Amino acid sequence: MSATLVQVIVGGLLLGAIYALFSSGLTLIWGMMNVVNFAHGDFVMVAMYIAYVVYVLLGGGPLASVPIAAVSLATIGILAYFLLVRHVMRGPMIAQILGTFGLALLLRYSMFGAAGANFLSLPDNLVGGTYEIFGIRLQASRVVAGIVALLVTAGLHLLLTRTSLGSKMLAVSEDATAAQLMGIRPDYMQAIAWGIAAGATGIAGALIATFFYISPTVGETLAIIAFVTVALGGFGSVPGALVAGLLIGLIESLSAYWIGGVWKDVVVYILFIFVLWFRPQGLMGKS
Amino acid sequence: MKKLLWPGITAVLLLAYPLVFTTPFQQRLGALVLLYAIAASAWNIVGGYAGQISVGHVVFFGCGAYASLALFTHTGLPPVLGMPLGIAAAVGIAAIIGTPTLRLSGHYFSMATIAVAELARLVTTNTEFLGAAVGLSGPTVPRTWLDLSFISSVPYYYLFLAVLVITLGITWWMERSRIGFYLRAIRDSEKAARSLGARAPRVKLIAYLLSAGLTSVAGSLYALMFQFVDPESGLGILISVKMLIMAALGGAGLLFGPLVGAAILVPLEEISNSLLGGRGAGLTFVLYGAIIVLIARFRPDGILGLFQSARKAPEKHDA
Amino acid sequence: MMKRSPWAALAVASLLAAGLSGGAFAQQTVKIGAIYPLSGNAASAGTSAKAAIELAVDIINNDHPELGDITLAKGTGLPNLKGAKVEVVFADNQGTPAAGQNQALRLITEEKVVALHGAYQSGITTTASAIAERYGIPFMTGESVAANLTERGFKWFFRTTPIASDIADVYVSFLKEMKAKGMKIDNLVIVNENTEYGTSIAKVVGDTAKAGGFNVSMVIPYSANTTDVQSQVLQLKDAKPDAAIFISYTSDAILFTKTMQALGYKPPILIGDNSGFSDASYLRTVGPIAQGVINRSAWDIGKPGSPTFLINEMYKKKTGNDLDDTSGRVMQGFLALAEAVNRAGSTEPAKLQAALKATDLKPNQLMMGYKGIKFDAKGQNILASAMLIQAQGDQYVAVWPKESATAELKLPYKAWEK
């Protein structure tokens, strides 16, 4: 195997971990509440701008921007739940798309009005630099994002499977009425789920900002990949999103290298449709 | 008699609009409302009545737009003759992708349709025959009246109105037929529908094919009016989303829902763009987004949804 | 209630539509419409173009003797129209051909503009200019480069910018000259985004380079607005080109530059074709790691005190950025349009059209480095040309051809190295 091919594979896996990172919040809400958040990409975008503002105002790197973005986004998530999502859920499934798509436009163009259309970027040396190990070049910012992706996935998974908060949240998602009889308040649990999911999205955005460009429309670029990642992994399956993210990153890298950059997404979509054909519940979703 | 009163008034208003509002921009606005109403009504058959929320309907829209302009580009025939080709292509594609995807439940179906639409966009972008990234243009100067290329929007307005009437007529007929009954049953609960004797996959597929063919007609009409299509304007995901939100905003699964949605959103977008767009701070979309959010917040069933919920119990989302 | 809703909604829509009718027409101004992407993915470029046109209007309407021979800089307003002021009505094309055409119709019929300028994306220029053609209103583009725009047999369409063939000639003559000077330049690689802009320029540049005796060993197209370009950079690294030519919009140009640094690869010569590499955001975000990138341009800030330098100062004061080439071409197109309106001495369409056809501007009357502005029968400026500029420090400086150079060309490409 040539050194370049190894580089392609390593790069693809790191990219995949980042896809998994910014999809984890989406899968949580999707699985918990059967709600599809069309504003997800724009949540990531807001977190990226927060990272930029933290850098410009406080001179802070990710150690400052990640917690600030996580807390801010968690707040936005909880507000979005109480002000919009809770009411929209009374309507048909399509109302969620309507409401969250409106929210996406609102966030995107409010940011546009506040920050302008210009592209921004954080300095490259904010997170280490680039290291060469056995001829493979690793960008510290991407490695950090990859490691955090694993930690966030593990954290969310443990939260859902090993804590009482997690079991309460799952109880609500299984049967809200029964959960209520057991003394669990469904809307609190769902608000907490939105807070956690948006907080994880905040972490993702602040980290992605360290190596990606920042613009008001960047969420659009990222959102479709997040949808495909989550559906491929299986709605609600946090480990599924990780596996799917890694798979998509790897396939994108390899197909771009072997077949060409314009075909990489074609390969991903064909694979996605193919998987759904045989496993309509995604790779790791419950049937 | 009373039953026909309001549809009658609506019909008179629609017929009279271009005679009352006579500036070219107002007339074009009216034509655009009808064009989007056709697309959203076509979407409504499968997305509203059958509850299968397609976010990839632009594939069929693209079939119509591309068939019309590709026919003109390669043979010189008037674009309008591409309409039947577009319908055939859309129905064919719907048959191929409908069989596997309609089995998927809820959001999986939505995501699969997004993937199919993006696939179509990417493949078209790399296909010379379809103009690749540059896109296809119609006749720059009309050669005969058959090119249906007019300076005024009024001929388009009445053409679109006629097609809308046909689309709504088909929908109305379907709504009252056995298929419509089964579709509503499937939307509310697929299991229950099966026990009623509905062959769910077949019924859903029929609705899907019908919806695809009508959406393709909207695409052809778009191509006639704008005489240009490229991958983003003919196959971009935003068009799918627009069909969906117009239907949802007016009331998905209701005959006049998409028309009401289009009558609100199209003028809102065009007029706010005209008044605010030139300032360049994205105000148009802040306003647009805010209004969608407010309607979703206070009328999740859509503007016409109130009387629907009186007719039947609010549906549950099946997981 | 239930049956009232559709009717009420329609009535609201009608009222909204009615609110638009009419439109006051002030006597002392000449209205020109400008259609640009002020929202959506290309909004960064559209916003800069808007600022450039506003500056052009300032130059026309106010007295600017310091700008020398630049058209309409001296004196106020349009002298042949009794000093009438130019007023620009901006419209947002939202990045869609449909919105572009709708707005063109509105500007012509509601705002009663005498001419249109725009619309950045070539596809939108196609649909917007079709409306102008039907209404018999001049449409000028200072920036859309798609070849087919001037091949449609339009009588009201004019274009000042150089197009793909002019651009390819600049690159190939430059590379030939470098080769003659003893640099090893045989193997070229073209990296292009796959929308209309990237595809068409890549094709013409590739063909011209082959005809010029170069070996184009690889063309790497990629999807615009992509999330990742590592594989493309590695393909480029494998191909070991002597020079790489990039045709990219801003987001991808930034991503490529960052990824090339991360993967530790830089070709000996890196040419970025205008667009993304010209956007003020590019140098501001990745300038320090893109030192020595060569860019095609017709814009040069020039020596302190020169008209172009002063124009740049005015632009900088307004926006905080240096004027970039794309916005400069927009501004030049607009100035040429205003000059024709003034020369026509009338806002009558036929007279405007005749004046545009008779346009004959000399280099000293232009802010851009064209050899002049003179339209052929198809409306294309036959004197359009470009030069090469290079990123040195925090700005681009003119380096080729020698007669227009203001700084020394520095090769090989240094990128992030000091």
Side-chain angles (χ1 to χ4, degrees):
Chain A
M1 209 189 274
S2 73
T4 313
L5 191 57
V6 177
Q7 179 81 58
V8 170
I9 293 171
V10 171
L13 288 173
L14 277 177
L15 177 69
I18 291 150
Y19 287 169
L21 178 62
F22 69 68
S23 306
S24 57
L26 189 65
T27 199
L28 186 70
I29 291 176
W30 218 325
M32 283 284 307
M33 294 155 71
N34 199 31
V35 166
V36 49
N37 181 11
F38 269 65
H40 182 77
D42 298 276
F43 277 27
V44 178
M45 179 274 296
V46 171
M48 291 170 87
Y49 273 97
I50 290 174
Y52 184 80
V53 170
V54 167
Y55 169 74
V56 171
L57 291 187
L58 312 173
L63 281 181
S65 65
V66 166
I68 293 176
V71 171
S72 318
L73 265 288
T75 314
I76 294 177
I78 292 170
L79 284 177
Y81 175 78
F82 279 114
L83 296 178
L84 176 67
V85 178
R86 194 162 64 126
H87 308 281
V88 165
M89 283 172 66
R90 284 187 283 115
M93 188 167 99
I94 197 173
Q96 310 162 2
I97 301 182
L98 188 67
T100 55
F101 177 75
L103 181 62
L105 284 182
L106 202 54
L107 287 175
R108 190 178 308 158
Y109 284 99
S110 301
M111 192 57 86
F112 189 105
N118 286 337
F119 289 82
L120 303 170
S121 169
L122 292 172
D124 288 271
N125 50 9
L126 212 53
V127 187
T130 306
Y131 302 93
E132 194 158 328
I133 301 163
F134 303 122
I136 303 301
R137 291 183 67 96
L138 292 171
Q139 201 181 349
S141 52
R142 284 177 185 249
V143 173
V144 169
I147 293 170
V148 174
L150 297 178
L151 292 176
V152 168
T153 306
L156 288 177
H157 188 63
L158 290 178
L159 174 82
L160 287 178
T161 53
R162 300 287 162 84
T163 65
S164 73
L165 179 65
S167 24
K168 280 182 194 166
M169 282 162 65
L170 285 177
V172 170
S173 86
E174 301 272 318
D175 188 338
T177 326
Q180 201 155 17
L181 292 175
M182 287 157 57
I184 306 170
R185 292 208 36 187
D187 53 346
Y188 278 19
M189 287 302 132
Q190 291 181 332
I192 291 171
W194 268 81
I196 293 172
T201 309
I203 296 173
L207 286 172
I208 293 168
T210 59
F211 57 88
F212 212 71
Y213 60 85
I214 305 169
S215 83
T217 52
V218 70
E220 253 183 324
T221 308
L222 300 174
I224 292 188
I225 287 289
F227 287 148
V228 173
T229 305
V230 169
L232 185 65
F235 297 140
S237 169
V238 176
L242 179 66
V243 172
L246 291 174
L247 197 62
I248 291 175
L250 191 60
I251 290 170
E252 275 198 353
S253 272
L254 284 174
S255 55
Y257 183 68
W258 280 329
I259 313 175
V262 295
W263 297 108
K264 66 174 184 182
D265 294 319
V266 172
V267 176
V268 169
Y269 291 129
I270 289 176
L271 172 97
F272 171 63
I273 294 165
F274 211 63
V275 167
L276 286 189
W277 195 322
F278 292 103
R279 278 190 70 83
Q281 71 278 29
L283 288 174
M284 297 175 78
K286 282 173 273 173
S287 55
Chain B
M1 207 44 226
K2 205 181 158 208
K3 223 176 162 186
L4 287 175
L5 183 65
W6 290 103
I9 289 177
T10 309
V12 169
L13 283 172
L14 285 173
L15 281 170
Y17 175 85
L19 309 175
V20 178
F21 296 98
T22 51
T23 76
F25 187 68
Q26 291 165 343
Q27 290 173 338
R28 170 174 280 242
L29 199 59
L32 287 175
V33 167
L34 297 177
L35 179 64
Y36 281 106
I38 296 167
S41 300
W43 179 91
N44 196 29
I45 294 174
V46 72
Y49 288 98
Q52 307 295 309
I53 297 176
S54 165
V55 196
H57 249 50
V58 73
V59 172
F60 310 125
F61 183 87
C63 281
Y66 270 99
S68 289
L69 295 180
L71 182 77
F72 167 75
T73 305
H74 296 293
T75 69
L77 291 169
V80 68
L81 297 181
M83 200 181 274
L85 294 178
I87 296 174
V91 172
I93 289 175
I96 294 167
I97 62 178
T99 314
T101 55
L102 283 166
R103 293 183 308 139
L104 301 170
S105 62
H107 295 310
Y108 285 104
F109 175 75
S110 307
M111 291 304 122
T113 54
I114 289 186
V116 170
E118 282 293 283
L119 205 54
R121 184 178 64 84
L122 291 168
V123 170
T124 306
T125 307
N126 295 295
T127 307
E128 274 311 314
F129 182 78
L130 295 175
V134 179
L136 297 172
S137 292
T140 39
V141 262
R143 303 160 302 174
T144 63
W145 67 270
L146 257 181
D147 278 340
L148 299 184
S149 177
F150 311 111
I151 293 182
S152 161
S153 299
V154 177
Y156 294 114
Y157 182 92
Y158 287 108
L159 175 67
F160 296 172
L161 186 58
V163 176
L164 179 66
V165 168
I166 295 169
T167 307
L168 292 181
I170 293 174
T171 312
W172 182 81
W173 164 80
M174 188 207 70
E175 198 179 4
R176 266 136 214 280
S177 72
R178 186 171 283 269
I179 292 180
F181 171 72
Y182 284 152
L183 283 178
R184 281 191 298 274
I186 289 167
R187 179 183 59 186
D188 295 342
S189 163
E190 191 154 336
K191 271 182 205 153
R194 284 218 175 90
S195 65
L196 283 172
R199 290 166 62 192
R202 222 188 92 170
V203 173
K204 281 197 283 187
L205 188 62
I206 291 172
Y208 196 55
L209 299 182
L210 188 60
S211 171
L214 289 170
T215 308
S216 160
V217 173
S220 289
L221 296 176
Y222 171 89
L224 284 179
M225 185 161 172
F226 289 97
Q227 309 267 14
F228 176 77
V229 65
D230 66 2
E232 204 51 53
S233 62
L235 291 161
I237 186 173
L238 202 63
I239 302 169
S240 298
V241 174
K242 271 189 180 170
M243 288 183 216
L244 182 156
I245 59 172
M246 278 171 199
L249 196 92
L254 297 171
L255 188 59
F256 288 106
L259 175 60
V260 170
I264 293 172
L265 285 181
V266 175
L268 174 68
E269 184 175 352
E270 291 299 330
I271 292 172
S272 62
N273 187 26
S274 299
L275 298 178
L276 304 171
R279 295 193 196 170
L283 281 171
T284 312
F285 287 105
V286 172
L287 184 69
Y288 192 75
I291 288 178
I292 293 174
V293 164
L294 287 176
I295 292 176
R297 158 71 178 80
F298 292 101
R299 300 292 287 268
D301 285 314
I303 302 221
L304 300 185
L306 260 195
F307 73 91
Q308 181 205 22
S309 41
R311 253 192 342 213
K312 68 175 199 57
E315 60 189 287
K316 292 268 183 289
H317 344 140
D318 51 346
Chain C
M1 179 65 202
M2 74 186 217
K3 290 270 165 64
R4 246 186 69 208
S5 295
W7 146 232
L10 285 171
V12 169
S14 315
L15 281 176
L16 281 170
L20 259 188
S21 54
F25 191 4
Q27 284 296 320
Q28 286 307 310
T29 60
V30 171
K31 273 190 181 182
I32 297 178
I35 304 170
Y36 282 94
L38 301 175
S39 61
N41 273 328
S44 175
T47 313
S48 303
K50 179 170 181 268
I53 289 182
E54 284 166 352
L55 179 56
V57 171
D58 172 21
I59 290 173
I60 296 164
N61 284 351
N62 299 310
D63 189 21
H64 286 280
E66 74 281 10
L67 295 181
D69 295 333
I70 302 281
T71 51
L72 299 173
K74 285 196 192 99
T76 60
L78 303 173
N80 293 359
L81 282 132
K82 297 179 191 140
K85 305 272 185 198
V86 169
E87 182 192 341
V88 182
V89 188
F90 286 99
D92 180 6
N93 70 28
Q94 302 184 332
T96 73
Q101 192 176 82
N102 296 341
Q103 290 302 313
L105 178 74
R106 179 179 68 89
L107 292 177
I108 293 170
T109 60
E110 307 267 329
E111 297 286 350
K112 315 278 185 216
V113 298
V114 302
L116 286 168
H117 196 275
Y120 191 68
Q121 296 100 326
S122 292
I124 303 178
T125 305
T126 303
T127 57
S129 59
I131 282 283
E133 185 75 14
R134 288 179 181 190
Y135 276 87
I137 295 285
F139 192 107
M140 171 81 88
T141 183
E143 69 286 347
S144 295
V145 295
N148 60 1
L149 285 171
T150 41
E151 301 298 324
R152 296 176 294 170
F154 279 18
K155 295 181 181 65
W156 299 87
F157 187 78
F158 299 89
R159 164 156 72 183
T160 51
T161 184
I163 55 174
S165 50
D166 305 317
I167 294 162
D169 285 341
V170 174
Y171 293 146
V172 173
S173 332
F174 166 71
L175 292 171
K176 274 186 180 162
E177 191 181 311
M178 292 299 114
K179 196 173 174 178
K181 279 188 180 165
M183 270 189 87
K184 181 191 169 301
I185 304 177
D186 295 305
N187 181 14
L188 306 183
V189 170
I190 299 172
V191 183
N192 68 284
E193 57 94 29
N194 74 335
T195 71
E196 175 277 323
Y197 159 65
T199 317
S200 58
I201 304 260
K203 189 172 176 311
V204 179
V205 169
D207 292 348
T208 315
K210 276 178 212 154
F214 294 99
N215 170 32
V216 181
S217 67
M218 199 185 236
V219 178
I220 308 177
Y222 67 90
S223 304
N225 276 319
T226 184
T227 51
D228 185 63
V229 295
Q230 292 180 82
S231 296
Q232 284 86 336
V233 172
L234 291 171
Q235 280 178 315
L236 187 62
K237 197 174 177 180
D238 283 355
K240 296 193 181 60
D242 301 316
I245 301 172
F246 277 74
I247 303 143
S248 300
Y249 283 124
T250 314
S251 57
D252 303 322
I254 294 173
L255 207 52
F256 264 113
T257 308
K258 282 176 170 258
T259 308
M260 284 177 33
Q261 187 205 17
L263 293 173
Y265 173 71
K266 53 189 173 63
I269 296 178
L270 193 150
I271 297 175
D273 181 68
N274 200 272
S275 187
F277 293 87
S278 295
D279 188 327
S281 300
Y282 180 77
L283 279 192
R284 210 182 44 229
T285 52
V286 290
I289 58 168
Q291 287 300 303
V293 64
I294 292 169
N295 187 339
R296 171 262 303 186
S297 175
W299 168 244
D300 179 44
I301 293 170
K303 296 187 176 66
S306 64
T308 48
F309 182 87
L310 296 174
I311 288 175
N312 188 59
E313 287 301 302
M314 287 156 79
Y315 185 81
K316 207 168 180 174
K317 203 170 147 198
K318 190 173 165 65
T319 64
N321 294 318
D322 281 328
L323 183 66
D324 59 276
D325 175 69
T326 311
S327 307
R329 284 182 292 136
V330 169
M331 201 168 152
Q332 182 64 73
F334 190 86
L335 285 172
L337 178 60
E339 190 274 336
V341 174
N342 181 53
R343 197 151 30 77
S346 156
T347 55
E348 216 173 286
K351 286 189 180 153
L352 273 183
Q353 187 192 33
L356 277 162
K357 282 186 171 166
T359 298
D360 185 6
L361 295 176
K362 304 297 174 209
N364 60 327
Q365 294 176 284
L366 307 179
M367 54 176 280
M368 299 302 280
Y370 303 156
K371 294 180 195 121
I373 295 181
K374 194 169 187 165
F375 299 107
D376 63 13
K378 294 170 175 174
Q380 172 62 34
N381 176 15
I382 49 171
L383 298 174
S385 63
M387 57 190 164
L388 296 181
I389 53 177
Q390 188 174 36
Q392 296 185 2
D394 59 0
Q395 63 183 16
Y396 278 115
V397 287
V399 290
W400 191 91
K402 220 177 195 103
E403 53 273 23
S404 40
T406 54
E408 190 92 7
L409 176 68
K410 288 179 187 163
L411 287 176
Y413 175 49
K414 280 199 301 199
W416 54 88
E417 275 165 18
K418 294 288 172 263

